[in-house]
Amino acid sequence: MSADFYKPMRLNEIDSSLQEEIKKVCDINVELCMECGKCTGGCSNAHIFDYTPRKIVQLVKLGAEKTLLSMDALWTCVSCQLCVDRCPSQINIPHIMDYIREKAHRQGVKTRRINVELFHDLMLNSIRKTGRVAEAPLMLNFNLRSRQYMKDAVLGGRMFLKGKLSPFSPVVKDIDHVRRLFKKIADNREG
Amino acid sequence: MDIAYFPGCSLHAMAHEYDTSTRLVCQRLGINLYEVPDWNCCGATAAHSLDHHLSVGLSSRNLALVKDMNLKQMTTPCAGCFNRLKTASVELKQNDDLTAEIEKLAGISLTGAKEVEVAHTLQVIMEAVGMEGIKEQVIKPLNGMKLAAYSGCLITRPRAIAQFDDPEQPVALDHLLQALGAQPVHWSHKAECCGGGFAASDTDIVVDLGGQVLEAARQAGAEAIVAACPMCQTNLDTRQRAIEDERGIKYNLPIVYFTQLMGLAFSYSPRQMGLNRLLTSPTTLLRSRGLS
Ligand code: SF4
Ligand code: SF4
């Protein structure tokens, strides 16, 4: 892990615009955070996060957008929603994560977990193409694109024998409608 | 009871047995499932991870299709789909700005979609039929099978969206298993995360989190784990060998869908319930209770 992640923040960098933005777009008020740490205490994956959920909320308050956009936790949050329900102030941290991840993705900020981002991308491509996800072809495509040619070969064989791997790609009949959603919603908001 | 049915991508592929068992069990209980015609993927983790608007948009199309069926309720057995569909449904009802923005971007009306209610199939069964109604259908009780009821994350969380059971100490699945004559164990991980959508993209996370779930079930003396989500089942079943290798412990814990056990208790055969499709075989366990 790069030492960069732990660079201390300088006070003169404080800026409340990110906090305002998250309040406006996500309807989340980070000012209500009392730093109790219950979110971090409950978090499924805090033990591998570079910044824990409580710190992430603080980073939003401090306006440390660059740190947030490049943090590893964006790509290791499992969206388990434990922090949301434990927070006495109902601060929706996975929603903040989604918002910042979306921004990082659109700005092309590099992540160490390229495979997580790649998998999401391939899955969205599959939905755009056919309206649904074909699991087996998606896995195969992912292994090829991430150059892990032998990944899960043995497991794949066991699953095949159980009839769990279907080579078919189901297609939504009104696929034009789905594609329109992608075109109008996703593409319009890019750039 | 008539209700729209959203199987989701997994139930049409890897989790085919969850689809079949759900349909048969609901039929027996008098819950008429009508598959949403031409449904599309809910967008899963990918869409909400990269594009919130798109995620709501994709789910809204499904909600609108239900409205076209002249039904007001939709159910899905997948906890992941449930979370996406219900998040969209709640957003459409509460967030007028977002709804207007999506309507404008996509050039569609979401008025109909707004009226549709979404519930996970476990909730529908427990609320429409309940423990007593389930007991009435039991022909072959599960004979005290010791089971770890695994709700996982998204059936009950976040509380404000799911609006069902307790977010961290859920009991619905335990009650259902009790009604089938099983003995649910007390355990620590009934609502912890299995690693969700990371099975392929960051397998270590599933081996780590899924491993904790398996270990907790073993320590509680469970003979199998009962899932209500294709992602939970697939993670714990397909990654079990990798977890065993990493921990040096042989778990050999079958990961069974709750509908499969309901079907068995309603006297369907293990094959009809697709129990032969699980990677970790439940055959020994079923034999020990005279169910196979
Ligand atoms: S649980 Fe809520 S209030 Fe407490 S530290 Fe976390 S975000 Fe802040
Ligand atoms: S949703 Fe993400 S941040 Fe919140 S507890 Fe789960 S893993 Fe941690």
Side-chain angles (χ1 to χ4, degrees):
Chain A
M1 195 172 297
S2 144
D4 241 29
F5 287 137
Y6 296 104
K7 224 165 45 188
M9 257 165 307
R10 302 220 311 269
L11 279 182
N12 60 7
E13 287 170 357
I14 293 181
D15 170 359
S16 67
S17 60
L18 181 62
Q19 175 176 329
E20 300 298 326
E21 183 182 321
I22 284 185
K23 194 177 197 168
K24 193 169 155 267
V25 185
C26 309
D27 197 21
I28 298 169
N29 186 357
V30 290
E31 273 175 291
L32 296 176
C33 174
M34 53 190 97
E35 298 184 47
C36 65
K38 280 173 70 78
C39 47
T40 299
C43 179
S44 297
N45 246 352
H47 58 287
I48 64 163
F49 280 10
D50 45 357
Y51 291 100
T52 59
R54 182 188 64 84
K55 286 186 185 161
I56 290 167
V57 174
Q58 293 311 304
L59 289 172
V60 172
K61 287 170 84 172
L62 293 165
E65 188 160 341
K66 249 179 87 184
T67 309
L68 286 163
L69 285 170
S70 57
M71 73 181 169
D72 194 45
L74 280 186
W75 304 96
T76 48
C77 164
V78 286
S79 306
C80 67
Q81 314 290 330
L82 276 163
C83 52
V84 191
D85 281 340
R86 287 204 183 179
C87 175
S89 302
Q90 298 182 346
I91 293 174
N92 192 329
I93 296 166
H95 194 169
I96 297 178
M97 296 276 219
D98 282 352
Y99 181 70
I100 296 170
R101 189 185 313 103
E102 194 174 324
K103 230 176 172 180
H105 181 66
R106 259 194 262 144
Q107 293 179 9
V109 179
K110 285 254 172 324
T111 158
R112 206 159 58 84
R113 314 254 170 187
I114 39 173
N115 284 347
V116 177
E117 194 174 22
L118 172 69
F119 190 78
H120 290 330
D121 260 335
L122 293 177
M123 191 177 221
L124 285 185
N125 285 345
S126 161
I127 304 172
R128 182 180 207 134
K129 229 164 88 191
T130 65
R132 293 191 190 164
V133 171
E135 289 166 330
L138 173 65
M139 300 295 174
L140 218 61
N141 193 10
F142 170 73
N143 289 354
L144 291 177
R145 292 285 300 274
S146 60
R147 296 168 194 272
Q148 306 175 88
Y149 304 111
M150 292 312 286
K151 184 175 160 61
D152 297 330
V154 175
L155 175 61
R158 290 172 66 212
M159 293 176 77
F160 179 76
L161 290 177
K162 293 283 179 184
K164 292 228 159 212
L165 299 184
S166 156
F168 299 114
S169 297
V171 184
V172 167
K173 280 192 226 96
D174 189 7
I175 184 65
D176 288 345
H177 191 175
V178 176
R179 292 198 185 139
R180 211 158 52 234
L181 292 176
F182 271 88
K183 215 168 150 54
K184 298 268 170 78
I185 299 179
D187 301 353
N188 260 351
R189 293 171 58 256
E190 255 162 37
Chain B
M1 170 192 203
D2 293 339
I3 188 163
Y5 177 62
F6 184 90
C9 301
S10 251
L11 273 77
H12 270 209
M14 274 186 204
H16 190 62
E17 63 275 24
Y18 193 20
D19 184 47
T20 328
S21 55
T22 300
R23 289 174 193 267
L24 288 172
V25 162
C26 283
Q27 192 181 39
R28 182 72 67 88
L29 293 171
I31 301 169
N32 306 315
L33 303 177
Y34 298 93
E35 183 162 339
V36 179
D38 211 35
W39 55 268
N40 59 271
C41 172
C42 68
T45 318
H48 82 79
S49 291
L50 299 184
D51 193 328
H52 182 68
H53 285 63
L54 178 64
S55 173
V56 176
L58 286 169
S59 286
S60 301
R61 177 175 177 271
N62 293 316
L63 294 169
L65 288 172
V66 174
K67 180 67 189 167
D68 294 344
M69 297 165 78
N70 272 325
L71 290 171
K72 284 215 156 63
Q73 280 177 293
M74 163 158 64
T75 188
T76 173
C78 172
C81 299
F82 165 66
N83 172 267
R84 291 332 308 156
L85 294 165
K86 190 143 186 197
T87 300
S89 152
V90 171
E91 291 253 29
L92 293 184
K93 287 191 177 81
Q94 294 177 356
N95 191 340
D96 294 338
D97 291 350
L98 180 81
T99 310
E101 204 184 329
I102 293 176
E103 284 183 325
K104 201 170 137 237
L105 281 169
I108 47 172
S109 159
L110 294 173
T111 319
K114 255 186 216 180
E115 293 168 30
V116 176
E117 300 293 339
V118 185
H120 187 274
T121 307
L122 173 65
Q123 179 176 6
V124 173
I125 292 178
M126 287 311 273
E127 287 175 1
V129 183
M131 276 180 89
E132 292 311 312
I134 295 171
K135 274 188 201 155
E136 281 171 20
Q137 298 295 333
V138 172
I139 299 165
K140 289 185 177 170
L142 300 183
N143 292 330
M145 210 184 265
K146 284 198 262 166
L147 300 172
Y150 183 49
S151 260
C153 303
L154 299 177
I155 293 178
T156 60
R157 285 197 301 271
R159 192 196 317 249
I161 300 284
Q163 298 164 24
F164 173 59
D165 211 342
D166 186 273
E168 289 199 52
Q169 297 296 332
V171 291
L173 195 51
D174 298 73
H175 288 168
L176 183 141
L177 296 173
Q178 256 164 17
L180 301 177
Q183 189 192 328
V185 299
H186 290 284
W187 69 310
S188 51
H189 279 53
K190 50 174 24 179
E192 296 293 318
C193 182
C194 67
F198 285 78
S201 59
D202 209 329
T203 312
D204 289 352
I205 289 181
V206 172
V207 171
D208 174 13
L209 299 183
Q212 294 176 37
V213 173
L214 288 180
E215 178 60 22
R218 184 188 71 90
Q219 287 187 15
E223 297 169 286
I225 294 178
V226 183
C229 168
M231 225 162 21
C232 299
Q233 196 283 337
T234 304
N235 281 349
L236 296 180
D237 196 14
T238 63
R239 301 296 163 183
Q240 197 163 140
R241 283 229 179 128
I243 291 167
E244 289 176 340
D245 289 348
E246 203 227 23
R247 293 183 167 244
I249 298 173
K250 196 97 189 101
Y251 288 108
N252 203 16
L253 276 170
I255 317 295
V256 190
Y257 291 110
F258 76 102
T259 45
Q260 291 180 302
L261 292 175
M262 293 182 87
L264 274 188
F266 296 174
S267 172
Y268 288 106
S269 72
R271 194 160 267 277
Q272 277 173 306
M273 288 299 107
L275 282 151
N276 52 318
R277 285 171 52 90
L278 308 181
L279 292 194
T280 313
S281 167
T283 308
T284 316
L285 172 63
L286 299 182
R287 276 214 190 107
S288 74
R289 297 303 197 284
L291 292 163
S292 169

